[in-house]
Amino acid sequence: MDKSTAVAASQIRYELRFTGLFDRGRGYAFPCDAGGKVDVDCLTDRGRTSYLFARAVVGTELSEPIVLPVP
């Protein structure tokens, strides 16, 4: 891997996306690392509340989250 490829790879951003089970157009997305780890301390109070809610309702209202690169 050359230096430009390494720099480009380090600048890739990811998001953890939860999709609604009953309404596919509804869901939540949070910034994360490539492994899906969300830095909760960097979220706003509202974002933190939404993230904790999303995790709590996986399987009942939301799908299992997936990690996607952000364009």
Side-chain angles (χ1 to χ4, degrees), residues 18-56:
F18 297 82
T19 304
L21 291 175
F22 306 106
D23 181 359
R24 293 281 183 203
R26 189 163 185 218
Y28 297 87
F30 304 94
C32 68
D33 63 14
K37 184 176 183 319
V38 174
D39 186 354
V40 178
D41 294 331
C42 289
L43 297 175
T44 63
D45 288 340
R46 184 175 179 179
R48 190 175 305 112
T49 300
S50 294
Y51 176 67
L52 295 174
F53 171 78
R55 285 184 37 191

Side-chain angles (χ1 to χ4, degrees), residues 9 11-17 30 32-34 66-71:
Q11 293 176 350
I12 296 174
R13 297 179 334 184
Y14 297 91
E15 68 181 16
L16 188 66
R17 190 176 297 175
F30 304 94
C32 68
D33 63 14
I66 58 172
V67 178
L68 296 170
V70 178

